[in-house]
Amino acid sequence: LASIPTSMSLNSVLDTCYDVLVDASLYQCAELRRVALHDVKRTTYEHTQQCAVSHLLLGQTDRAVQLFLETESTNDNYLTDSLRACLAATICSSGASQSTIKLVATNFIANGRLDEGVKLLCLIDKGLDACRYLQTYGHWDQSGWLAKATLGEDEFHEVFSRWAEHLAASSSNRKDLATMFFVSLEHFQKVIEMLLSMQCFEMAVLFAEACLEFDVLPNNRETVHFIEIAFVEYARYLETIGLRKAAHHYCAFAGARGRSVNIDGSF
């Protein structure tokens, strides 16, 4: 897949209001700022715990430990939070400790303690595994947040591709949102496929033409197949509104499929 020129970068014009669709580095910075803002404004134990967990998931272990240690000795959770602080502070990268913690995490998840299992996986830098478990149990939004805020590009692409396919499935029927996900992932062939499935033929053609202009589509039979369908279906639409010349123009770009439309006398 050819690279889009810097001036045409898909994410460079996206504001943070697009949430998980924005560039990963921008999203990560925004989430760290958001957590820091919550941190300075916390007033209750519950709020402090939320901040501690957020810091932990975002890899800010030192700050999470500090917040766990702020629990008052009179609080019923004092012992638990103190142990959490000790665990987070003493995690090491040895294979033995990671294996043990991962085993405990998977046991937690298998026994219905998903949140606790995810936290442990994040502690040992197993964020991708945590995202997979979250998706398996239907926590797609949380998985997307964690992936975009903490994982590398290849890893969060895997998470988001699976999320996009889930949205596009008939059980979810959110092809409009799935299309936006595929755009952000630069899976442009899937974008055209989604637009065609929603019968958005004009948008599919405009998008295909833009992709062809910047040479960002994979050169394979499947891509050609979807582009030809887009051109033919758009040509048929143009014919129905009396734009015969424009219809023939798009048929000319649809290869054998476009020629067959003319031969059949559809126009």
Side-chain angles (χ1 to χ4, degrees):
L1 188 66
S3 298
I4 300 177
T6 303
S7 60
M8 295 297 296
S9 175
L10 291 174
N11 291 316
S12 63
V13 296
L14 289 180
D15 190 82
T16 53
C17 66
Y18 286 92
D19 199 41
V20 293
L21 297 178
V22 305
D23 180 73
S25 59
L26 175 63
Y27 186 81
Q28 289 168 6
C29 289
E31 287 306 305
L32 288 173
R33 287 197 300 268
R34 185 177 301 172
V35 171
L37 180 61
H38 280 285
D39 195 334
V40 298
K41 292 183 176 294
R42 56 194 171 82
T43 57
T44 65
Y45 169 77
E46 289 74 16
H47 196 180
T48 298
Q49 288 299 295
Q50 291 175 1
C51 290
V53 170
S54 295
H55 282 299
L56 196 66
L57 295 176
L58 292 171
Q60 308 293 305
T61 307
D62 290 343
R63 184 55 183 162
V65 169
Q66 292 175 2
L67 296 184
F68 282 134
L69 291 176
E70 286 186 9
T71 303
E72 297 289 342
S73 59
T74 55
N75 190 301
D76 292 340
N77 295 309
Y78 173 71
L79 177 59
T80 301
D81 290 342
S82 297
L83 292 174
R84 285 174 175 169
C86 291
L87 174 62
T90 57
I91 288 295
C92 61
S93 58
S94 68
S97 67
Q98 287 214 353
S99 298
T100 301
I101 293 171
K102 187 173 182 179
L103 177 62
V104 173
T106 53
N107 284 338
F108 276 172
I109 293 170
N111 288 282
R113 304 184 70 89
L114 179 64
D115 289 343
E116 289 79 359
V118 166
K119 293 170 191 172
L120 286 177
L121 289 173
C122 290
L123 265 179
I124 57 173
D125 295 326
K126 298 293 183 182
L128 180 57
D129 289 336
C131 289
R132 288 170 177 164
Y133 278 117
L134 287 168
Q135 289 185 332
T136 299
Y137 286 89
H139 296 262
W140 296 94
D141 290 340
Q142 188 178 353
S143 173
W145 172 83
L146 183 61
K148 203 61 175 280
T150 65
L151 300 183
E153 183 175 357
D154 290 341
E155 292 179 323
F156 84 70
H157 268 241
E158 176 187 326
V159 174
F160 272 65
S161 294
R162 186 179 179 190
W163 191 2
E165 294 291 351
H166 167 73
L167 292 168
S170 57
S171 57
S172 300
N173 198 27
R174 288 302 312 273
K175 291 183 179 180
D176 53 340
L177 186 56
T179 301
M180 295 179 65
F181 273 54
F182 285 128
V183 170
S184 73
L185 293 168
E186 300 184 18
H187 294 177
F188 301 130
Q189 178 183 300
K190 291 292 295 184
V191 173
I192 298 173
E193 182 181 347
M194 287 293 100
L195 291 172
L196 289 174
S197 69
M198 294 185 289
Q199 299 188 341
C200 299
F201 302 128
E202 181 177 7
M203 192 177 298
V205 166
L206 291 173
F207 187 82
E209 289 181 322
C211 290
L212 291 171
E213 179 180 352
F214 291 100
D215 192 25
V216 294
L217 286 172
N219 186 16
N220 56 48
R221 289 185 177 181
E222 190 175 12
T223 299
V224 173
H225 170 74
F226 285 120
I227 291 177
E228 288 184 353
I229 291 177
F231 283 151
V232 166
E233 293 300 332
Y234 187 49
R236 286 177 173 148
Y237 164 72
L238 291 172
E239 172 65 13
T240 62
I241 60 175
L243 298 178
R244 187 182 183 89
K245 185 176 180 180
H248 280 283
H249 168 79
Y250 281 102
C251 269
F253 287 102
R257 192 182 300 271
R259 290 191 295 274
S260 69
V261 172
N262 284 320
I263 292 171
D264 292 342
S266 296
F267 296 131

